[in-house]
Amino acid sequence: MRSDDASTTTDLPDTAPLDAMIASKLAETRTPGLVACIVRRGEVQWSRAYGLADAKAGRPCSESTPFMLGSLSQVITATAIMQLYEKDLIDLDDDVNEHMEFPVRHPRFAGTPITYRMLLAHTSGIQDDSRMLERHFVLGDSEVPLRKVIKWTLKSSGRHYDPVHGFSTWKPGTDYQFSNLGYALLAYLVELISGSPFDQYCQAHIFKPLGMTGTSWRLAQADTKTLAMPHRTCRVTGEWEAVGHYGYPDYPNHCLRTNAADLARFMTAMMNQGTLDDAKLLQSQTVADMQSVCYREFAPYQALGWFYEDSNDGGQLVGHGGADHGVLHRMFYRPDREVGVILLTNGDPSRKGLWNLVGIESRLFELSDAIAAAHKPALHVVPREEAPAEDAEVVAFKQRQR
């Protein structure tokens, strides 16, 4: 089911097969709603909304429906750190303890500094303790300050510090493990270095410059009447159940709320070497540094806040996924073709759901090419026997074929 306000353009390729495929994939995984967006060469080329933003209320998704992003939020946290790096306030290989209020060390390898690069690339050895994280799951915004959860978990005298479960068995910088807590630490470092609360820093230095007016870290700043409700499927009845709008104290690794249009503005800036319209988010070299793989021997697809994936046709995608209770998303683009796809959903994350999104994403890359082909201006070539020798249109045509 498409929402009533989904985009329609009379000269688009027939998307009925795509619409049917998306409806089928959503039904397979009991996912209530999806918003899809294609960005091509700096412009939103196509967007459409399917299904329900809130199943119980019967509220349909629209193209402006905001979603909680889960770990897709981390591209924003990484961007904030790279802005500090660009201003020479940090170096990526600095010991983070140069700015910390207390030492952060791997207890098994206390002599090895933990650096910004390690945290960005998930090689610091800081591990997530799901027991602690779930203990502080709340409906609404968490009232626990970010600084407190960092001290609880990473200070050796902290109430949740666990030298066994909270850290890897390997030395920092020598192996890979995805770390949400590592990104919360990065956000706290942004606060310490910039002197601003992390959410306010992002508002001033990322969201406002890019015109991301529907984006916020806090539910208190979001319009919950339009926000997509995260859903799970009841194991007994098979019916949708609302998870509720929730938060964590380490919110910078999961709790960003935004819509496809705002996220498209961010992705476009990154596709355009850090620039969108008159806004300069990052310098082009900083974007290149950010999207460079640093630990190729054991993390060949991990850059600094970004991931690489192989596409179905042999190309390469760069982007990030996101998952949490009742949400599953993808944001990936093809640098070689200047095309990106955003997919936001509000159903239970699962392996099947992820593969379905990858399949939809592949179809949307194909749709982008079809739309571009359909919109190419028609060439009127004068027959050879009638063509004047210096006909400008023919000359232009021949030049484009070289």
Side-chain angles (χ1 to χ4, degrees):
M1 178 181 67
R2 293 209 314 263
S3 67
D4 290 338
D5 62 344
S7 296
T8 57
T9 306
T10 56
D11 57 351
L12 287 178
D14 179 17
T15 60
L18 171 67
D19 296 338
M21 178 258 206
I22 290 176
S24 174
K25 296 298 186 185
L26 294 180
E28 279 182 16
T29 53
R30 297 292 297 154
T31 300
L34 176 148
V35 175
C37 178
I38 302 172
V39 172
R40 189 179 184 99
R41 296 181 179 175
E43 301 288 341
V44 173
Q45 183 187 40
W46 178 93
S47 63
R48 191 158 292 178
Y50 300 82
L52 298 171
D54 188 324
K56 184 177 180 180
R59 174 165 55 88
C61 281
S62 75
E63 293 167 38
S64 60
T65 297
F67 290 74
M68 178 191 176
L69 293 192
S71 53
L72 178 48
S73 307
Q74 293 176 15
V75 294
I76 301 296
T77 305
T79 299
I81 282 288
M82 296 304 288
Q83 288 181 332
L84 301 182
Y85 161 69
E86 189 173 271
K87 295 173 182 176
D88 291 328
L89 296 174
I90 62 168
D91 187 84
L92 295 179
D93 295 310
D94 284 347
D95 183 343
V96 298
N97 286 338
E98 293 179 12
H99 290 102
M100 285 296 296
E101 303 165 310
F102 59 89
V104 175
R105 282 283 188 265
H106 192 306
R108 296 182 180 90
F109 305 97
T112 301
I114 291 174
T115 68
Y116 295 92
R117 191 185 305 275
M118 293 175 187
L119 291 170
L120 287 164
H122 301 284
T123 66
S124 70
I126 294 174
Q127 293 187 157
D128 295 327
D129 185 343
S130 59
R131 299 168 303 170
M132 186 282 297
L133 295 174
E134 293 301 320
R135 191 179 303 147
H136 295 285
F137 171 98
V138 296
L139 292 177
D141 291 320
S142 173
E143 295 183 359
V144 177
L146 177 61
R147 67 179 182 277
K148 183 169 288 189
V149 75
I150 294 299
K151 291 179 179 179
W152 282 350
T153 53
L154 294 176
K155 190 175 183 179
S156 59
S157 59
R159 62 190 289 187
H160 296 311
Y161 182 81
D162 188 336
V164 177
H165 297 100
F167 296 87
S168 66
T169 58
W170 38 267
K171 183 179 178 180
T174 66
D175 209 338
Y176 174 88
Q177 185 168 9
F178 192 88
S179 174
N180 292 306
L181 185 56
Y183 266 71
L185 175 56
L186 285 170
Y188 183 54
L189 285 159
V190 171
E191 292 193 344
L192 292 174
I193 296 166
S194 71
S196 298
F198 181 73
D199 56 338
Q200 294 180 22
Y201 175 92
C202 292
Q203 181 63 39
H205 296 277
I206 300 175
F207 306 149
K208 186 176 180 180
L210 293 182
M212 298 171 66
T213 57
T215 301
S216 64
W217 284 106
R218 302 288 190 178
L219 281 165
Q221 280 78 52
D223 182 359
T224 56
K225 293 179 180 178
T226 63
L227 190 61
M229 175 64 69
H231 291 80
R232 58 175 168 244
T233 304
C234 178
R235 295 181 180 180
V236 176
T237 66
E239 297 298 317
W240 289 316
E241 293 181 338
V243 175
H245 298 304
Y246 56 91
Y248 303 99
D250 54 334
Y251 70 92
N253 57 39
H254 266 245
C255 293
L256 190 67
R257 273 92 179 176
T258 193
N259 56 54
D262 275 13
L263 196 55
R265 294 185 67 80
F266 173 79
M267 182 172 69
T268 300
M270 299 305 292
M271 292 169 68
N272 196 37
Q273 290 79 52
T275 301
L276 179 69
D277 301 329
D278 295 329
K280 192 70 174 177
L281 186 65
L282 293 170
Q283 299 295 325
S284 59
Q285 184 57 53
T286 307
V287 175
D289 292 342
M290 191 179 189
Q291 296 186 348
S292 297
V293 173
C294 302
Y295 301 96
R296 196 168 296 277
E297 63 276 19
F298 53 84
Y301 292 97
Q302 176 69 63
L304 304 183
W306 294 82
F307 292 89
Y308 285 91
E309 291 187 5
D310 296 324
S311 65
N312 292 336
D313 63 357
Q316 196 167 55
L317 303 171
V318 59
H320 206 294
D324 207 331
H325 300 291
V327 294
L328 181 64
H329 317 299
R330 281 178 67 82
M331 179 189 73
F332 280 85
Y333 70 91
R334 287 280 301 262
D336 59 330
R337 289 163 51 184
E338 299 181 79
V339 180
V341 170
I342 293 168
L343 293 167
L344 306 176
T345 74
N346 61 340
D348 254 342
S350 66
R351 186 174 295 275
K352 177 67 172 176
L354 175 58
W355 283 115
N356 282 352
L357 283 191
V358 170
I360 295 170
E361 177 184 87
S362 180
R363 291 284 294 272
L364 292 181
F365 278 114
E366 294 173 3
L367 175 62
S368 177
D369 290 341
I371 294 172
H375 286 188
K376 282 184 178 179
L379 284 171
H380 171 64
V381 182
V382 180
R384 184 181 299 274
E385 63 272 19
E386 300 177 11
E390 299 297 326
D391 184 275
E393 188 175 29
V394 175
V395 172
F397 172 76
K398 288 180 178 179
Q399 289 175 340
R400 283 194 288 271
Q401 306 311 305
R402 293 176 181 171

